[in-house]
Each structure stands twice: as structure tokens, then as C-alpha cells.
Amino acid sequence: MSTDTPGIDPLEALRAPRDPACDVFLTGPVFLDIIFTGLDSAPVRGTESWARGMGSSPGGVANMATALARLGLHTSLAAAFGDDHYGEYCWDALEQGEGIDLSMSHTVPGWHSPVTVSMAYEGERTMVSHGHEAPAPAPDAGTGSRAGAAGTGSRAGAAGTGSRAGATGTGTSTGAAAPVFPQCPPRARAAIASLAPGRSEPWVATAARDGALVFGDVGWDETGRWDLDALPDLAHCEAFLPNAEEAMRYTRTDCPRAAAHALAERVPLAVVTLGAEGAYAVDGRTGTAAAVPAIEVEALDPTGAGDVFVAGFVTGTLADWPLADRLAFAGLTAALSVQEFGGSLSAPGWAEIAAWWQLIRTCDRQDPAALERYAFLDDLLPATARAWPLRRAVPTIGFRQ
């Protein structure tokens, strides 16, 4: 977890000796994100635009993994990392900087890291990406290593956990390789799956069968069919979290709330994000619905805000909070994230949340009802918090110290 987190474990009261060591498992591609902010308008063809701000950070699935880890959840990530400086930076940032378990991840020799350049302006963003699909790991390839080193979380050089190249590390075996992801995902309280039309990931069913609550994320349906039956892994999901446009297209409705109720007939929890209007959720088991307005903030960079929202909602669900509190917390974490550079490095930890709660109660003319919506934070946060605001922008990688 990040170093500014004051040690809050949202699941402390629920943990038991036989529980999984992993709270949340997720998988997907890791990008290097380069973000330009402070643009007055979109770049114009044939001209050069200068940005007033820049940030670099791990992106892609790293956005959500970092957000989960910074909220105190034990997070395991299975991903391919490039065999280059970008890949090395992303691996170190996630494993050493955020405490994310990368024992299911691996480095692909000769494969370069995918890169996304994001330009934020007028409250939105435009992205340009480049990359190639990572080849599948060889059946006998080790996981949790970089530069071909064996062992858990190892890198290139000395023996043992956290080692560097060429050495045998913790968790190695001289016999046949143990089953690894995707054949054998780790046992976890929850898993986050990226659903896509016509694609089924066998690990999702395995995770659900082993007791994980599966949270389904989804992107734009490039096929244009918008058919829920074309999402086979939706049947294993505890929750489905589309945005308003996606939800309405999938349900053939013209209202996000109606879409949420329709989706709740397919999954136990339907959560529809409404952008500047907040979020709406329906518990299909009880019929309970909750709506929370968005928090008004000055957005610097919206990259990864949706991922941070999902991480906040997963945290509240695992902690067994009321539905409205989960929505409020998810919206708060997303709002705090857009005030900083980059998807992953902008994700708030408990220190930022505590500082916001301390600050907002001292502001004049606050709506008492709005403050009451976040009163549940009193039982979670420390009595004192670091001064606001906290910065975490990273302009580049590889500074020589």
C-alpha cells in the first residue's frame, strides 16, 4: 500500500484465520500512461500544443489494482509486463510502491510495454495507445518474476524473494511447475472481471466457484449488438457496473434508473454510473435501491476515475456496508482521483479521504444533509489527518538519485 496510508484495514472486523490471503484478484494488460494536462483545447492538426502539466504512471489494469491496494485491500494482479524500462518501472511501482502481489504476473522477454498518451482538456480526455497482445506464457514459465528469474516477486540478481536476475527465489521447485493462472486463480474474497461480448474467461467461473464475489466491468460493445446473453461470464457476477449509456443500450431502455432495475433481474447487484449526476444501484435480492449525487470538484485529469469508483464500491461491499454508503464512498474516491495526475497514481488512500472529510466539515454553507451522507466515515477514519491537499504527480520515470 502507499506510504501515506494510515494503516486502515476496512475488513479488519471481518477477517478470520481461514480466510483467503487475497482480498481481490484481477487480471488484464498493464500500460505505461503518459498524461498531459492543462491543455486549453484539443490539439490542432499541423500545430504544436504545449501542456502545463504532465504525469507518468502505470495504467490499464494497474489503475484499479492501485486503487484497491491504497484502500487497504490485499490485492493480487496477474499481468504480462514488458521486458523494457517501462515494464520495470511499472513492476516496481506496483509491487514495491503499492504492495500489490505480483506472484501471478510475469515478464515477457523481447516484448515491449503498451503505452497510452492521454490528453486532458475541457473536462474530458483523448487517448492515443500503442501495443501488441502479449504472448501466452510458456507452460513451464515461472510467475512473479522479471528478467527470467524464478521465484515469488523476484527481479534480476540475488537469491530470495524480491531478488534480481538469474537467481532462484522463494517458491521455486525442481519438479513439475505448479498450476498457475489462468488455470488456477488464487482463492480470493472478490475478483474483478472485464466482460466482453462473445468471450468467456474460464478463471471467472473458477473464482466464483471457490467463493469469490465477481464484479463485472464492461466496455463499449464494438459489435453494436448490446446483448447481455453475449456476456457469458455475467452469469458468475455478483455485481455488474456499466455506465449509463452502456446500461441503457444493454437493456433497451431510455432511463439509467430503469436500466439498473432491468439489470438487477440478471445480477444480484446492478450499479450504473451517471457521470456528473452520480450513481444509482439496485440490489436485486432485496429490491433496495440507492442514488448518490456526484461530488463537485475541479477535475485535473479524469483518467481512471471509473476504475477508482469500482475499487471503492468493491471495498464497501466486502466490508458489508449499506448500499448507499458503498455508492457514496465509491463516488468520493473517484472524485478525489480526478484532482491529481494519472489513473493509478491519482487513486486516493485513506489519508486523502480523511483530509477531505476534515476539510469539508470546516467549509462554510455546507448542506447538512450532504454531510450526513458521509457520516459513516467517522467510524473508519483516524481522529487526525495530514494537511490538505496531498500531491502525488510523477512527471517522468527514471530519475537518477
Side-chain angles (χ1 to χ4, degrees):
M1 290 176 285
S2 57
T3 56
D4 66 345
T5 302
I8 291 178
D9 179 1
L11 308 186
E12 182 177 13
L14 303 175
R15 296 195 185 279
R18 295 182 180 272
D19 285 347
C22 173
D23 291 328
V24 186
F25 171 74
L26 67 168
T27 183
V30 172
F31 285 67
L32 175 75
D33 280 357
I34 302 172
I35 303 99
F36 292 105
T37 65
L39 290 164
D40 295 321
S41 63
V44 178
R45 179 180 178 183
T47 67
E48 181 179 16
S49 299
W50 279 82
R52 291 187 291 275
M54 173 184 167
S56 300
S57 68
V61 72
N63 294 341
M64 199 175 299
T66 300
L68 291 161
R70 288 184 174 184
L71 293 176
L73 299 183
H74 305 156
T75 304
S76 176
L77 170 64
F81 286 78
D83 186 20
D84 52 17
H85 287 310
Y86 287 169
E88 183 175 18
Y89 160 72
C90 289
W91 186 292
D92 283 342
L94 297 176
E95 183 181 57
Q96 304 300 325
E98 306 299 336
I100 295 168
D101 174 19
L102 298 182
S103 61
M104 290 279 173
S105 295
H106 66 286
T107 297
V108 182
W111 181 69
H112 75 78
S113 299
V115 176
T116 290
V117 175
S118 176
M119 293 162 281
Y121 56 89
E122 299 175 355
E124 256 303 339
R125 66 196 189 281
T126 296
M127 296 179 287
V128 178
S129 299
H130 173 75
H132 307 279
E133 185 174 354
D140 59 347
T143 55
S145 61
R146 282 195 56 83
T152 302
S154 62
R155 299 186 60 85
T161 302
S163 61
R164 298 190 66 88
T168 300
T170 301
T172 60
S173 171
T174 56
V180 296
F181 180 82
Q183 290 80 13
C184 186
R187 185 167 165 259
R189 294 174 184 265
I192 299 175
S194 180
L195 309 183
R199 187 186 73 193
S200 177
E201 300 284 355
W203 73 265
V204 176
T206 302
R209 188 167 55 249
D210 289 344
L213 300 178
V214 179
F215 294 77
D217 193 16
V218 71
W220 192 257
D221 184 357
E222 298 293 346
T223 70
R225 293 176 56 201
W226 298 100
D227 181 7
L228 288 172
D229 291 330
L231 303 175
D233 289 332
L234 186 64
H236 306 296
C237 289
E238 169 72 11
F240 184 46
L241 300 98
N243 64 32
E245 184 66 25
E246 293 160 349
M248 289 188 292
R249 286 177 179 267
Y250 271 120
T251 58
R252 309 298 193 267
T253 58
D254 57 5
C255 168
R257 296 191 178 205
H261 284 275
L263 290 172
E265 297 177 4
R266 301 288 296 263
V267 290
L269 278 172
V271 183
V272 178
T273 55
L274 309 175
E277 297 181 14
Y280 186 78
V282 179
D283 185 328
R285 294 190 179 99
T286 65
T288 302
V292 174
I295 298 173
E296 293 186 12
V297 296
E298 184 175 346
L300 174 66
D301 173 23
T303 305
D307 295 325
V308 177
F309 180 94
V310 173
F313 189 81
V314 169
T315 301
T317 300
L318 293 183
D320 200 24
W321 298 347
L323 185 58
D325 291 354
R326 296 182 229 173
L327 274 190
F329 185 73
L332 169 60
T333 55
L336 294 179
S337 76
V338 303
Q339 298 179 89
E340 299 288 349
F341 287 114
S344 62
L345 295 184
S346 69
W350 288 104
E352 289 91 340
I353 295 167
W356 175 83
W357 184 231
Q358 186 179 79
L359 173 70
I360 205 69
R361 288 180 295 176
T362 64
C363 296
D364 295 333
R365 298 187 299 277
Q366 285 292 340
D367 179 4
L371 288 177
E372 182 63 25
R373 185 177 296 115
Y374 298 93
F376 66 92
L377 293 174
D378 282 331
D379 295 330
L380 293 168
L381 300 174
T384 59
R386 289 173 54 178
W388 178 271
L390 301 175
R391 305 299 300 174
R392 55 176 74 235
V394 177
T396 188
I397 64 174
F399 276 123
R400 300 184 185 277
Q401 298 182 358

